[in-house]
Amino acid sequence: MLEITGLRKSFGPLEILKGVDLEIGKGDVVVILGPSGSGKTTLLRCINFLERADEGNAQIGGLQVDLRSASKKEVHSVRQKTAFVFQNYNLFNNKTAIENVAEGLITGRKIPKKKAWETARKALDKVGLSDKHDAFPSRLSGGQQQRVGIARAVALNPEIILFDEPTSALDPELVGEVLGVMRQIAAEGTTMLVVTHEMQFARDVANKVIFMDGGVVVESGTPDEIFGRPKEERTKQFLRRVL
Ligand code: ADP
C-alpha cells in the first residue's frame, strides 16, 4: 500500500531525515514512536508533500513518485490517495462541522455538493458527532474538533490515513474519545500510519511499531517485539523513559 525508500530531508544545515525506508501493507496500523525531534512529523509531511524531501521515492497505492521532484499532477494524485489528520485539527473556523468535512470532497475530489454532504453526514455520524453537524469549531471541544478532523479524513475514503500526533494537543480527559474513534476505524480495516506518544494505543491497535531516533528507523517490529523484546539500546532507553 505504501513503500518509502531512501527518504532524506534537511532544514538548513540540519539533516532531519537521514535515509528512511518503510513499508505498510493494506489494512496495517503502523505506529511511529520516538523522542521529540527525531523526525517523525517531518516523515509524515514528506509523504503527503506538505514538505518536499531532498531525496526519496514512494509507492503509494500503486503510484510511483519521486518525493523530491514530483510534478504538481503527481502531488495531486498522491493527495487523492492519502488523508492527513493534524495535531491541531486544521479545521476552517468559519465553516460548520459538516462543511469542514464536505469541503475536501467538493473541491479536492470534485464530488457534487449533495453527494458530498451525504458522505460528510455519514462520516460525522461514524465518529459520534451526529448531533454536531451544524456546529462551528469554536463551539466544539478539542476532542470533538479532532473527531471532525478524523471524519474529514475518513470521508475521503483514502488508501491510507496519516495521523500526526492526533491527541497531543488535547486535555487528558479528551484523549480517550479520539483514540476510541481511531480504534474503531482501525478495526474496520483502514490503513493507518500514526505518529503518537500513546503507548497503550500502539500496543493494542498497531500491528507494526517503528522506533525512530535521530532521523533514522532504529528498529521496527510487532508491538510484542518492540515493547517486550527490544533489540537496540536506544529503543530500550526510550521505553524505560516513557513506560
Ligand atoms: P518529531 O515529530 O519526531 O518530534 P519533527 O519532525 O517535528 O520531529 O522535527 C524534527 C526536527 O526538525 C526538529 O528539530 C524541528 O525543529 C525541525 N524542523 C521541523 N520542521 C521544520 C521547519 N519547517 N523548519 C526548520 N526546522 C524544522
Side-chain angles (χ1 to χ4, degrees):
M1 183 61 74
L2 172 71
E3 201 180 336
I4 303 291
T5 45
L7 176 53
R8 292 181 175 270
K9 172 71 181 170
S10 297
F11 290 113
L14 279 184
E15 194 175 20
I16 303 303
L17 297 175
K18 302 177 181 169
V20 172
D21 300 330
L22 79 99
E23 215 182 314
I24 301 178
K26 192 171 164 59
D28 279 354
V29 178
V30 177
V31 167
I32 306 180
L33 303 177
S36 197
S38 55
K40 305 180 300 294
T41 291
T42 305
L43 166 61
L44 282 197
R45 293 177 64 87
C46 286
I47 295 172
N48 209 28
F49 294 102
L50 295 169
E51 299 284 356
R52 271 292 170 154
D54 298 325
E55 227 179 289
N57 288 291
Q59 182 272 113
I60 302 176
L63 179 74
Q64 277 287 345
V65 285
D66 184 321
L67 291 171
R68 184 181 64 83
S69 63
S71 65
K72 247 186 172 163
K73 190 159 168 257
E74 287 173 315
V75 170
H76 181 73
S77 304
V78 167
R79 293 204 177 131
Q80 297 277 321
K81 291 174 182 287
T82 57
F84 205 94
V85 175
F86 296 87
Q87 187 174 349
N88 292 313
Y89 332 128
N90 266 22
L91 302 179
F92 295 108
N93 287 323
N94 60 343
K95 291 188 192 294
T96 61
I98 192 159
E99 287 167 348
N100 265 283
V101 177
E103 176 71 18
L105 295 167
I106 297 166
T107 57
R109 304 276 151 106
K110 309 290 178 219
I111 292 171
K113 188 172 172 198
K114 190 157 174 277
K115 178 86 179 92
W117 274 57
E118 203 177 290
T119 305
R121 245 179 238 118
K122 283 190 194 139
L124 284 169
D125 292 351
K126 184 191 275 257
V127 301
L129 293 175
S130 49
D131 56 341
K132 300 288 182 193
H133 290 191
D134 300 320
F136 285 93
S138 59
R139 289 306 188 87
L140 298 173
S141 71
Q144 290 169 334
Q145 289 184 57
Q146 188 59 297
R147 284 190 279 150
V148 175
I150 295 173
R152 178 174 57 185
V154 166
L156 295 168
N157 193 24
E159 309 253 4
I160 182 166
I161 304 182
L162 309 169
F163 291 82
D164 183 17
E165 301 197 30
T167 60
S168 58
L170 296 172
D171 291 333
E173 73 271 20
L174 303 178
V175 169
E177 66 189 65
V178 170
L179 293 179
V181 167
M182 290 170 63
R183 278 172 197 264
Q184 178 194 327
I185 63 172
E188 289 168 5
T190 312
T191 310
M192 297 162 56
L193 179 59
V194 186
V195 172
T196 185
H197 296 286
E198 295 293 334
M199 297 297 149
Q200 199 60 46
F201 178 85
R203 278 186 182 207
D204 296 350
V205 185
N207 55 328
K208 182 173 174 187
V209 176
I210 292 174
F211 174 69
M212 278 184 73
D213 194 10
V216 297
V217 172
V218 172
E219 185 169 358
S220 66
T222 64
D224 280 351
E225 283 164 353
I226 297 297
F227 290 106
R229 307 183 288 284
K231 291 196 187 84
E232 300 293 330
E233 192 50 39
R234 278 196 279 179
T235 317
K236 290 178 194 170
Q237 266 178 17
F238 174 77
L239 292 173
R240 271 201 296 273
R241 279 206 309 276
V242 299
L243 292 177

